[in-house]
Amino acid sequence: VTEAMEVIQSKTIDLLLLDIYMPEENGLTFLKYVREQGYQVDAILITAATDAEDIQTAFRYGAVDYLIKPFQFERFKKSLLKYKQGQTFFKGNHQIKQAHQAFQNWKKVDAHERSAKLAQWAQLIDDHQDELARLITLEGGKPLAEAKGEVAYANSYVKWYAEEAKRVYGRTIPANSPSKKIVIDKFPVGVVGAITPWNFPAAMITRKMAPALAAGCTIICKPAVKTPLTTIKLVELAHQAGFPKDAISYIIASGKDAGDIFTNHSLISKLTFTGSTAVGKSLIESSAQQVKNVTMELGGLAPLIVHNDADIEAAVDGTIASKFRNAGQTCICANRIYVHEDIAEAYNEKLIEKVHALSVGDGLKEEVKIGPLIDNQAVEKVLTHIKDAQEKGGQLSRSIEDIQ
């Protein structure tokens, strides 16, 4: 312990890795020393036979930001090397600490003031609708008309929760004795970590930011690295609306890096994620190590079913609205279509006619209805699907060269 104290005094340390048993007096003495001397050290505690009281003691000293179990160490060590190269780990750690400090004040702000700030943010989003829509189109290729629709959709969450901020009601429950009274109050949970996908860069962020802020939580948002600019602009507008800088912030990192940071950090009280089921399961599993509150919006399989008594015109219009929205890159796009055999031929003819009429191109052009796919990998995926369909008997209504 004495040697370790001397090292800290003589060197600038980015990260301190402690491999100790918490019940040992030496470990606690060292943790307390780090905190009391005010050294900027991120202490990662590797515990090996600890109970809840030991862990609480460590956190009370304030030097422990992460709690890593021995079986997690190898995975964490590999990630740590990557973090150190890009400074993602240290930046994220700093932001979480700042958000936690901001939470101490933001949770005390009364509901009407929180509501007013959300309403002001909503007004600024309306005022900057064209700018935000253009960002969405430039980042992800979404046609401008769709992008404007998304901005309005995204802002509907902000406006909704501006009102809901004033309606965080408690409850009074009848007791089993006249001498008892049971009252339930609701309190903000703490710092929220949010991870969102690229296909709705405005709507998926506001539906997480707005309720967190309305409830009195602070939030750190991790947008998709393919579409970060929309989030950056929305956070800037939130700050203009009067939200404290550290009450709402963003971090640019890969999904895996952000997932590791959010699930392992002791000051993140809640994790919210929109994405694939496989990744969601992994995040839930990691969050369980600290029993974090989690909210998951995960993928699914969406069939479109057309019965033999359907209005074919309406069915085709509905198919196009579902299947071709954002070039088919949404979580609710139909990924398989079942049509009754009695109307299959008429349905196919009408569908081909209307699909051929869709204009594909630059999303900023007014006449374009289908923008580009998000990246080359997405293009290759579509071409693979087309090839697979042909091998199984499918026929193309247009040539691949014509489509490209």
Side-chain angles (χ1 to χ4, degrees), residues 265-280:
H265 205 295
S266 62
L267 296 182
I268 292 289
S269 298
K270 179 178 177 66
L271 177 64
T272 171
F273 169 75
T274 297
S276 72
T277 301
V279 173

Side-chain angles (χ1 to χ4, degrees), residues 384-395:
T384 299
H385 284 320
I386 292 173
K387 182 180 178 180
D388 178 66
Q390 287 180 289
E391 291 174 351
K392 294 176 179 176
Q395 297 180 346

Side-chain angles (χ1 to χ4, degrees), residues 234-308:
L234 285 169
V235 171
E236 287 178 357
L237 293 177
H239 293 158
Q240 290 180 31
F243 287 103
K245 179 181 178 181
D246 293 318
I248 175 172
S249 62
Y250 61 86
I251 181 173
I252 306 300
S254 71
K256 185 180 185 307
D257 287 354
D260 285 343
I261 293 171
F262 288 159
T263 57
N264 283 302
H265 205 295
S266 62
L267 296 182
I268 292 289
S269 298
K270 179 178 177 66
L271 177 64
T272 171
F273 169 75
T274 297
S276 72
T277 301
V279 173
K281 287 180 177 179
S282 177
L283 291 172
I284 292 171
E285 181 180 0
S286 297
S287 298
Q289 302 304 316
Q290 294 186 34
V291 199
K292 292 186 186 295
N293 186 316
V294 297
T295 298
M296 300 283 151
E297 181 193 10
L298 307 179
L301 296 173
L304 189 149
I305 303 171
V306 184
H307 293 279
N308 61 350

Side-chain angles (χ1 to χ4, degrees), residues 179-192:
S179 62
K180 296 178 181 178
K181 186 175 184 180
I182 303 174
V183 177
I184 296 177
D185 286 329
K186 294 184 179 180
F187 299 91
V189 69
V191 182
V192 179

Side-chain angles (χ1 to χ4, degrees), residues 281-354:
K281 287 180 177 179
S282 177
L283 291 172
I284 292 171
E285 181 180 0
S286 297
S287 298
Q289 302 304 316
Q290 294 186 34
V291 199
K292 292 186 186 295
N293 186 316
V294 297
T295 298
M296 300 283 151
E297 181 193 10
L298 307 179
L301 296 173
L304 189 149
I305 303 171
V306 184
H307 293 279
N308 61 350
D309 60 347
D311 180 324
I312 293 179
E313 187 84 16
V316 169
D317 287 342
T319 302
I320 290 176
S322 170
K323 186 60 183 175
F324 291 90
R325 183 183 183 187
N326 194 21
Q329 302 172 118
T330 78
C331 59
I332 58 171
C333 278
N335 52 21
R336 59 201 188 282
I337 302 170
Y338 298 105
V339 182
H340 194 281
E341 60 184 2
D342 291 349
I343 61 170
E345 184 176 350
Y347 173 90
N348 285 342
E349 289 177 358
K350 180 61 68 173
L351 181 64
I352 291 170
E353 174 191 336
K354 294 207 171 188

Side-chain angles (χ1 to χ4, degrees), residues 87-400:
Q87 296 298 302
T88 303
F89 170 80
F90 299 107
K91 183 179 179 182
N93 186 41
H94 174 73
Q95 280 189 245
I96 292 170
K97 287 182 178 179
Q98 294 297 104
H100 182 67
Q101 291 177 6
F103 173 65
Q104 307 311 313
N105 293 322
W106 182 245
K107 67 181 180 180
K108 299 174 185 176
V109 174
D110 71 74
H112 290 273
E113 184 175 344
R114 296 199 300 268
S115 173
K117 291 188 187 303
L118 283 165
Q120 179 60 30
W121 187 25
Q123 183 59 57
L124 287 172
I125 292 173
D126 278 340
D127 294 343
H128 290 79
Q129 182 184 41
D130 290 343
E131 179 184 359
L132 285 164
R134 182 177 174 82
L135 274 178
I136 292 171
T137 299
L138 290 172
E139 286 193 296
K142 185 176 294 187
L144 195 57
E146 275 192 42
K148 288 183 178 180
E150 182 186 341
V151 175
Y153 172 49
N155 209 12
S156 69
Y157 289 110
V158 181
K159 293 174 180 179
W160 174 271
Y161 286 104
E163 296 302 320
E164 289 301 294
K166 298 177 288 186
R167 302 188 179 98
V168 184
Y169 302 132
R171 295 175 62 194
T172 301
I173 300 174
N176 61 354
S177 169
S179 62
K180 296 178 181 178
K181 186 175 184 180
I182 303 174
V183 177
I184 296 177
D185 286 329
K186 294 184 179 180
F187 299 91
V189 69
V191 182
V192 179
I195 301 175
T196 59
W198 51 263
N199 57 350
F200 286 93
M204 296 299 99
I205 283 288
T206 57
R207 74 190 299 176
K208 299 181 187 300
M209 290 175 171
L213 294 167
C217 297
T218 55
I219 184 167
I220 301 173
C221 305
K222 201 298 292 182
V225 293
K226 296 174 183 176
T227 56
L229 299 180
T230 305
T231 294
I232 293 173
K233 185 61 183 180
L234 285 169
V235 171
E236 287 178 357
L237 293 177
H239 293 158
Q240 290 180 31
F243 287 103
K245 179 181 178 181
D246 293 318
I248 175 172
S249 62
Y250 61 86
I251 181 173
I252 306 300
S254 71
K256 185 180 185 307
D257 287 354
D260 285 343
I261 293 171
F262 288 159
T263 57
N264 283 302
H265 205 295
S266 62
L267 296 182
I268 292 289
S269 298
K270 179 178 177 66
L271 177 64
T272 171
F273 169 75
T274 297
S276 72
T277 301
V279 173
K281 287 180 177 179
S282 177
L283 291 172
I284 292 171
E285 181 180 0
S286 297
S287 298
Q289 302 304 316
Q290 294 186 34
V291 199
K292 292 186 186 295
N293 186 316
V294 297
T295 298
M296 300 283 151
E297 181 193 10
L298 307 179
L301 296 173
L304 189 149
I305 303 171
V306 184
H307 293 279
N308 61 350
D309 60 347
D311 180 324
I312 293 179
E313 187 84 16
V316 169
D317 287 342
T319 302
I320 290 176
S322 170
K323 186 60 183 175
F324 291 90
R325 183 183 183 187
N326 194 21
Q329 302 172 118
T330 78
C331 59
I332 58 171
C333 278
N335 52 21
R336 59 201 188 282
I337 302 170
Y338 298 105
V339 182
H340 194 281
E341 60 184 2
D342 291 349
I343 61 170
E345 184 176 350
Y347 173 90
N348 285 342
E349 289 177 358
K350 180 61 68 173
L351 181 64
I352 291 170
E353 174 191 336
K354 294 207 171 188
V355 169
H356 282 189
L358 295 173
S359 175
V360 181
D362 182 352
L364 291 176
K365 294 181 179 179
E366 186 175 350
E367 69 275 11
V368 168
K369 302 301 180 184
I370 305 293
L373 296 174
I374 188 65
D375 54 23
N376 288 334
Q377 185 178 358
V379 174
E380 291 301 319
K381 180 179 180 182
V382 170
L383 293 176
T384 299
H385 284 320
I386 292 173
K387 182 180 178 180
D388 178 66
Q390 287 180 289
E391 291 174 351
K392 294 176 179 176
Q395 297 180 346
L396 292 179
S397 63
R398 296 171 70 173
S399 70
I400 293 293

